Amino acid sequence: MQSDLKSKLESALEAYAVRSGHALQEVGAVLFDMDGVLYDSMPGHCRAWKQMCDENDIISESDEFYVYEGRTGASTIDILFRRQFGHGAIDDDVKRLYARKSELFRAEGPAPLMSGARKAVETVRAAGAIPVLVTGSGQTSILERLNIDYDDAFPIEHRVTAHDVKYGKPDPEPYLMGLVKAGVGKCKAVAVDNAPLGVESASRAGVFTIGVRTGPIPEGMLREAGADIEIFSMSECAVLLKELL
Ligand code: CA
């Protein structure tokens, strides 16, 4: 491990102990976000959101969907409605619009795996820790591929998806649920997320949070959102996890 990354990790662990009131102990589980962490799927998601909006005369900007990343589809549609119409979306609209967005995303074809992510997950399993999926997505097209792409590392009982949660990120609920599914306490887990709202969720859950900047967001934004350490790639994340485990 490079010495600059090592010293960055050491100071992150010290600061984590101060903010959380406990040191990171022997790590029993690593909670992985999906889009932008396990899959390089965010560009496709953003194109699908934008096209769905254009088709339905909903005003939007392509890049704003990077900022909403981590929210459930229903929550994102609600934001768009409140901004344009001054009220939230009814369930029928949410279902119809999210179904169309999902259809457009599927038409993008399979999203590529994020470079370095398989190595990161393998590192967790090799150390005897439990990988857990914590995603705001309910996108079956990608959830169904997980077992194949990640060698059954994420069985159903170790997944938190849009279907499990009431509030979703940035609420701590999804990561807290991930801890329960893993059967480990917050002082024995690490979270990996690429989006400000996801990082906020993990950080508020009291978990040591690795922010991976895989998308077009400014440097430092994940630290501001609560990441204990901000890095640039899943390859770097695999190195960090090896050190932590
Ligand atoms: Ca994400």
Side-chain angles (χ1 to χ4, degrees):
M1 190 184 198
Q2 289 174 331
S3 60
D4 54 341
L5 187 58
K6 190 160 185 142
S7 63
K8 195 167 149 183
L9 177 60
E10 278 164 10
S11 46
L13 287 168
E14 280 170 27
Y16 170 73
V18 172
R19 84 159 173 99
S20 68
H22 56 253
L24 180 64
Q25 295 168 22
E26 191 182 343
V27 177
V30 178
L31 315 176
F32 288 98
D33 171 50
M34 185 169 75
D35 292 296
V37 168
L38 298 179
Y39 291 96
D40 192 6
S41 44
M42 280 314 296
H45 276 296
C46 290
R47 281 190 295 271
W49 275 114
K50 182 75 175 89
Q51 187 174 336
M52 181 281 282
C53 285
D54 291 350
E55 288 174 0
N56 289 278
D57 297 321
I58 298 168
I59 299 158
S60 70
E61 301 286 337
S62 303
D63 278 357
E64 75 175 294
F65 298 106
Y66 282 102
V67 181
Y68 302 150
E69 193 193 341
R71 288 190 185 279
T72 59
S75 167
T76 298
I77 291 165
D78 208 58
I79 287 173
L80 297 168
F81 265 60
R82 284 182 193 283
R83 184 176 64 198
Q84 188 166 340
F85 307 115
H87 58 77
I90 59 169
D91 285 354
D92 283 356
D93 283 334
V94 169
K95 276 186 193 141
R96 177 175 59 83
L97 297 173
Y98 190 62
R100 178 59 180 151
K101 183 264 165 179
S102 299
E103 183 181 28
L104 290 165
F105 180 70
R106 280 195 300 277
E108 290 269 334
L113 267 66
M114 186 62 77
S115 177
R118 269 182 63 90
K119 177 87 178 159
V121 175
E122 279 165 16
T123 300
V124 173
R125 296 180 96 186
I130 303 169
V132 178
L133 181 76
V134 180
T135 177
S137 173
Q139 194 82 48
T140 49
S141 60
I142 196 161
L143 286 165
E144 283 166 359
R145 288 175 48 207
L146 259 180
N147 279 346
I148 298 162
D149 291 337
Y150 284 91
D151 303 329
D152 300 316
F154 300 98
I156 299 295
E157 63 270 23
H158 289 159
R159 293 182 185 187
V160 178
T161 73
H163 307 297
D164 298 299
V165 298
K166 185 174 178 194
Y167 302 109
K169 303 171 184 178
D171 193 275
E173 177 198 29
Y175 279 102
L176 289 173
M177 203 176 275
L179 290 174
V180 171
K181 291 202 174 194
V184 305
K186 59 188 175 184
C187 53
K188 293 186 176 182
V190 172
V192 183
D193 206 299
N194 70 308
L197 295 174
V199 160
E200 184 184 335
S201 169
S203 178
R204 284 168 64 193
V207 177
F208 182 80
T209 304
I210 300 174
V212 190
R213 204 155 54 79
T214 57
I217 57 167
E219 185 169 0
M221 190 181 254
L222 296 180
R223 287 279 296 141
E224 276 171 36
D228 294 290
I229 187 166
E230 180 174 314
I231 56 173
F232 309 101
S233 70
M234 284 305 289
S235 302
E236 208 175 8
C237 181
V239 175
L240 267 191
L241 288 173
K242 193 160 178 20
E243 185 75 13
L244 284 168
L245 293 158

